[in-house]
Amino acid sequence: MIMMQFYSTNKTVPQQNFEEILFMGQAPDFGLYMPESIPKISKEILNKFNTMSYAEIATEICNLYLHKEIAKEDLLKISKDAYDFEVPLVKLELNHYIMRLDQGPTSAFKDFAARMMSRLMQHFLKKKSQKLTILVATSGDTGGAIADAYLGLDNIEVIILYPATEVSARQRKQMTTLGKNITAIALNGKFDDCQKLVKQAFGDADLTHLNLSSANSINFGRILPQIVYYFYAACKISPQEPCIISVPSGNFGNLMGGLIAKKMGLPVEKFVVAVNENDEYPQFLKNSKYQKVEPSKACLSSAMNVGHPSNLVRLVDLYGGHLDYQGELHALPNMDDIKNDMWSISVSDDQTIQTIKKTYDSLNYILEPHGAVAWYGLNEYLKEFPSKFPCISIETADPAKFPEEIEKILGIEIGMTENMKKQSNNQEYIQKMDNDYNSFKKMLLTR
Ligand SMILES: *Cc1c(COP(=O)(O)O)cnc(C)c1O
């Protein structure tokens, strides 16, 4: 029985199976794990997706990677439990659709990855009867999605660090009102400081016995579930012809799911890679030189304020090149293939605001900043390369997550989702902490 093996993009450490890399996250040589080969989906299964539920499609896709490690009926149970919400495909105009990945419990697309990853971890932990502590640094959306996804799971403690003054009230409540196995720490510092403390804890030998694990977007366990919705949308909307898909991108985890879906055999005419003013990727496509944007620029689409996307390491590897964690390009990937598959654009805050206004005025539809970046990118692409193929633009958050911004742009009030209403009345549990590693370590050791 040979399980699928995963290699590090730096290729200096041994390959591992899925269970191992799920708990390791990043490889010990600081590379990211990739599957040794990408399984092809058969035409027969692909043709059936049209009539299958989201959870069933998720089971088929994940089974191609995990069939030697998890029984298919277990995968189906996990998928049904993780995806108990709708994935609306909204026709905005012509054959142009919005795929809404914002209907999960925390109203951001990170629910898709977090809910599956938490349940996969739980599945493996049960067999091993081990305990685990998940450490997350968050600038907003990730913390809420992880907290919700791991809430109440046995044998897993979750500790979330967020910058006290840099998250919105609605985001904060997603992390602080849950209690149980979820601890939220408000750090007197910035997001980068949170990340530094977490990183230091991972490297601290005194903490090994806590069995620390990360849940950030470098884990392949988060990429795998993000392959699924590309199949879902394309097969429901366009079972016969290829489509064009626009992805609002920050750390490029979402996009990686799409690129792998294409390699598995999903017909995609083009991916529009829409980024905000952090334009390192469109620049890279233009001049084949990679230069991170440092420090990253603060834009309205705040979850995409990334000047050096961590998953670019995977993307470059997928196209035969080698990029390291620090952003050094050791071998150029096949740029012709990359440009064949992708077209990329940087969208300014002003263009984002105009897009939100215009889409509301002319189509009576409320986009939030991340989805607006994607929709603008799609329309710019179509201006340059008119196409009759169906188009899908991804919306990654519910406008209710950004009430102040939307109100300022459209002059309308945005109500809360059902979950937000519940949380708004709940008590918050917050531990405050100074930006100091020793305090953090003491907390981890004495809790
Ligand atoms: C995380 C996030 C993104 C960016 O996704 P990546 O996978 O990091 O590219 C876009 N929109 C929202 C709302 C997010 O939370």
Side-chain angles (χ1 to χ4, degrees):
M1 187 164 92
I2 299 172
M3 297 172 183
M4 178 169 283
Q5 296 294 298
F6 293 80
Y7 63 87
S8 160
T9 51
N10 283 344
K11 299 194 172 123
T12 67
V13 290
Q15 301 196 353
Q16 305 279 1
N17 63 25
F18 181 79
E19 179 176 345
E20 282 159 319
I21 64 151
L22 180 65
F23 292 103
M24 284 162 77
Q26 192 165 25
D29 64 358
F30 301 107
L32 299 192
Y33 284 111
M34 283 287 280
E36 59 177 338
S37 68
I38 296 194
K40 288 269 182 299
I41 192 119
S42 72
K43 280 261 154 20
E44 216 181 313
I45 297 182
L46 201 56
N47 287 336
K48 284 191 199 146
F49 279 179
N50 194 12
T51 58
M52 282 177 157
S53 72
Y54 191 91
E56 286 167 342
I57 295 174
T59 304
E60 290 296 335
I61 299 294
C62 295
N63 187 51
L64 289 170
Y65 292 83
L66 307 179
H67 64 285
K68 299 269 170 55
E69 291 184 71
I70 305 182
K72 199 170 175 182
E73 59 264 29
D74 288 339
L75 265 183
L76 182 61
K77 253 187 241 155
I78 289 173
S79 303
K80 279 187 172 161
D81 190 46
Y83 303 117
D84 57 355
F85 52 88
E86 296 291 309
V87 186
L89 301 163
V90 184
K91 195 179 209 169
L92 267 203
E93 57 180 346
L94 309 167
N95 56 352
H96 300 169
Y97 292 78
I98 301 274
M99 168 157 58
R100 293 197 61 170
L101 299 180
D102 60 352
Q103 298 296 293
T106 74
S107 309
F109 97 104
K110 292 189 172 64
D111 284 329
F112 282 81
R115 288 175 69 81
M116 188 76 173
M117 185 164 78
S118 60
R119 283 158 180 81
L120 290 171
M121 281 187 173
Q122 172 92 331
H123 174 87
F124 289 119
L125 280 176
K126 256 188 209 150
K127 287 197 311 190
K128 297 196 283 197
S129 56
Q130 264 183 9
K131 283 194 197 310
L132 189 72
T133 305
I134 303 267
L135 274 191
V136 204
T138 183
S139 56
D141 284 346
T142 300
I146 294 292
D148 186 273
Y150 285 83
L151 177 67
L153 296 192
D154 299 332
N155 301 324
I156 304 181
E157 288 284 322
V158 177
I159 298 168
I160 303 169
L161 266 90
Y162 66 89
T165 57
E166 287 182 12
V167 303
S168 72
R170 287 186 189 180
Q171 281 177 325
R172 189 186 69 237
K173 284 181 183 166
Q174 290 183 334
M175 304 182 267
T176 58
T177 58
L178 300 172
K180 290 190 186 163
N181 58 332
I182 312 293
T183 304
I185 298 175
L187 194 80
N188 186 9
K190 298 173 114 1
F191 171 57
D192 288 345
D193 299 321
C194 298
Q195 266 189 317
K196 265 184 213 146
L197 292 189
V198 166
K199 223 177 244 176
Q200 199 170 346
F202 280 123
D204 190 334
D206 296 344
L207 301 176
T208 319
H209 65 284
L210 294 177
N211 206 7
L212 298 178
S213 185
S214 80
N216 56 19
S217 72
I218 56 184
N219 197 313
F220 190 80
R222 267 178 72 171
I223 303 292
L224 180 61
Q226 292 177 174
I227 300 171
V228 177
Y229 45 74
Y230 288 94
F231 278 98
Y232 175 82
C235 293
K236 298 279 175 195
I237 289 173
S238 172
Q240 304 304 335
E241 34 177 11
C243 52
I244 295 162
I245 306 179
S246 183
V247 189
S249 294
N251 262 321
F252 284 37
N254 195 354
L255 177 69
M256 271 317 292
L259 295 175
I260 293 175
K262 180 166 186 178
K263 293 259 177 205
M264 290 175 71
L266 184 72
V268 178
E269 167 72 12
K270 197 70 92 180
F271 287 101
V272 174
V273 184
V275 298
N276 60 26
E277 291 170 29
N278 293 284
D279 65 347
E280 64 284 344
Y281 192 65
Q283 289 298 333
F284 176 53
L285 294 202
K286 206 193 267 170
N287 36 30
S288 297
K289 287 204 178 71
Y290 181 66
Q291 186 144 38
K292 49 187 173 184
V293 172
E294 206 171 20
S296 60
K297 292 185 188 153
C299 300
L300 264 182
S301 45
S302 52
M304 290 157 40
N305 291 339
V306 182
H308 173 41
S310 46
N311 278 292
L312 208 52
V313 163
R314 283 199 170 99
L315 189 155
V316 167
D317 182 85
L318 191 67
Y319 288 87
H322 180 208
L323 177 72
D324 73 21
Y325 178 71
Q326 270 102 10
E328 184 107 16
L329 192 63
H330 301 279
L332 196 65
N334 187 325
M335 296 306 287
D336 291 337
D337 285 355
I338 285 185
K339 284 185 249 185
N340 219 7
D341 291 353
M342 289 168 255
W343 183 85
S344 187
I345 183 170
S346 162
V347 180
S348 70
D349 270 0
D350 194 43
Q351 288 162 333
T352 306
I353 290 169
Q354 293 313 320
T355 304
I356 293 174
K357 275 196 184 135
K358 204 172 135 198
T359 313
Y360 184 63
D361 289 344
S362 61
L363 299 168
N364 197 23
Y365 189 83
I366 302 173
L367 287 167
E368 57 71 59
H370 307 81
V373 167
W375 183 248
Y376 179 87
L378 173 65
N379 285 291
E380 288 302 300
Y381 171 77
L382 291 171
K383 269 187 210 161
E384 210 167 309
F385 305 96
S387 169
K388 292 216 159 20
F389 288 134
C391 298
I392 301 166
S393 187
I394 296 183
E395 176 55 283
T396 45
D398 192 307
K401 278 206 125 166
F402 305 95
E404 294 90 4
E405 289 86 344
I406 307 280
E407 201 176 325
K408 215 166 127 197
I409 297 168
L410 297 181
I412 56 172
E413 213 172 293
I414 303 284
M416 294 189 210
T417 64
E418 286 308 311
N419 266 354
M420 288 173 188
K421 279 182 205 158
K422 265 186 242 156
Q423 285 165 351
S424 71
N425 298 319
N426 287 352
Q427 189 188 344
E428 292 190 73
Y429 303 93
I430 303 176
Q431 279 198 39
K432 291 188 180 148
M433 192 175 286
D434 279 327
N435 179 21
D436 162 50
Y437 181 68
N438 282 327
S439 315
F440 182 51
K441 180 170 174 176
K442 205 164 138 201
M443 191 279 298
L444 290 173
L445 285 171
T446 53
R447 49 195 313 282

